[in-house]
Amino acid sequence: MSKRILLIQNDAPSAKAILEALDHSSDASFQVEWVRRCSDGLERLEGIDAILADLYLPDSRGIETFNRLFHAAPRIRSWY
């Protein structure tokens, strides 16, 4: 079964590296949705299994980013 991951990353080269790494993973199959802003991520939480997020985004910084995501989806695994 494919895991649905939400990638919140403003830096395109970093996001592409993460997408490539997940695409070539032999451990599991991942379906990744990439957005650049925390607010966009908050709109796309339905059906997500995990969140990979940069803590320094155009519309959110540091612990504020974590808090916004955690309060919106406390049961989703989050990696920062």
Side-chain angles (χ1 to χ4, degrees), residues 8-72:
I8 309 173
Q9 171 61 261
N10 187 47
D11 181 64
S14 295
K16 289 177 184 176
I18 293 166
L19 291 168
E20 185 174 315
L22 290 171
D23 189 44
H24 290 99
S25 172
S26 61
D27 295 329
S29 174
F30 301 103
Q31 181 182 4
V32 183
E33 182 172 354
W34 171 34
V35 297
R36 293 177 177 255
R37 301 170 57 90
C38 185
S39 57
D40 293 335
L42 290 169
E43 294 175 4
R44 292 171 172 79
L45 294 173
E46 185 70 32
I48 295 295
D49 297 305
I51 301 169
L52 295 172
D54 183 347
L55 291 180
Y56 294 93
L57 299 164
D59 63 341
S60 186
R61 297 270 187 242
I63 195 68
E64 174 192 352
T65 305
F66 174 82
N67 287 338
R68 288 175 70 186
L69 293 167
F70 183 76
H71 289 295

